[in-house]
Amino acid sequence: IRARLINARTALVNASRGLLNAYGMVLPQRMATCRALIVDKLETDQAKLTPRSPEVCWQLYDEFRAVEQRLAYDDEKLAARGQAHRACQRLQPIPGIGPVSATALSAAIGDVTQVKPGRQLAAGLGWGPREHATGGTPRWLGFRKRGNGYLRNLWVHGARATRRGIETQH
């Protein structure tokens, strides 16, 4: 549900940016910057728009705000769940894993004691490299795209955020 809401939010921002771009009002791609500038653009450059366009733009903006409020509510509930669940509490100190990733990972894995080696867990989640072996010579082909795509997406975003944090420290 959260991934669907994020996709809907992205679609609404892109629709707003595209509509305003048709009237010569360019908004940046970055979500936070676009969120801050869209109201200002609609109010200051209203003369560039056709009579019906402001109404449509404000409707898109209202939908966007509703989706953002729903996402904020869901994130708040996930954070509360992450604080209450013991397995999530153990996962969250790991760099790149926050309440959303911890709750999703905890839900996907279930009882960790049932999975003995870590490689088995990684393979079950689709987080292992693909291998092609002929004549006893293994070749690694990159990472597989199997398993839970939502978890993989959270994993990649967590790794990016961790890397960005490390780069800013140095």
Side-chain angles (χ1 to χ4, degrees):
I1 292 172
R2 186 174 185 281
R4 184 183 60 78
L5 288 172
I6 289 172
N7 288 339
R9 179 182 66 179
T10 304
L12 287 167
V13 167
N14 287 341
S16 299
R17 286 181 63 241
L19 183 62
L20 292 175
N21 194 20
Y23 294 104
M25 292 184 269
V26 179
L27 288 172
Q29 281 187 331
R30 196 156 180 246
M31 183 74 65
T33 314
C34 187
R35 180 186 305 121
L37 292 177
I38 193 165
V39 173
D40 186 46
K41 282 280 190 190
L42 283 173
E43 289 174 350
T44 58
D45 295 341
Q46 199 165 15
K48 293 181 180 179
L49 300 173
T50 60
R52 174 92 166 99
S53 298
E55 181 182 345
V56 172
C57 289
W58 284 113
Q59 286 173 351
L60 285 173
Y61 181 73
D62 290 342
E63 284 182 56
F64 167 75
R65 293 295 301 155
V67 169
E68 279 211 321
Q69 287 173 353
R70 174 75 193 274
L71 267 171
Y73 174 80
D74 286 352
D75 285 347
E76 183 181 305
K77 291 296 182 184
L78 282 174
R81 175 76 177 145
Q83 291 301 320
H85 199 265
R86 186 167 167 78
C88 294
Q89 290 172 355
R90 288 193 311 259
L91 287 169
Q92 288 184 40
I94 299 170
I97 296 188
V100 175
S101 298
T103 53
L105 193 57
S106 176
I109 295 171
D111 187 14
V112 177
T113 59
Q114 300 297 320
V115 182
K116 296 298 179 194
R119 285 191 301 182
Q120 189 179 51
L121 173 63
L125 293 173
W127 291 347
R130 289 188 326 162
E131 179 183 1
H132 179 71
T134 58
T137 307
R139 290 178 39 210
W140 303 108
L141 303 173
F143 279 87
R144 294 180 290 163
K145 303 293 189 285
R146 296 183 184 194
N148 190 330
Y150 181 66
L151 276 176
R152 189 172 48 253
N153 188 22
L154 290 174
W155 182 269
V156 168
H157 286 304
R160 283 183 186 152
T162 302
R163 187 175 131 220
R164 189 177 316 119
I166 290 170
E167 289 173 354
T168 57
Q169 289 176 0
H170 294 304

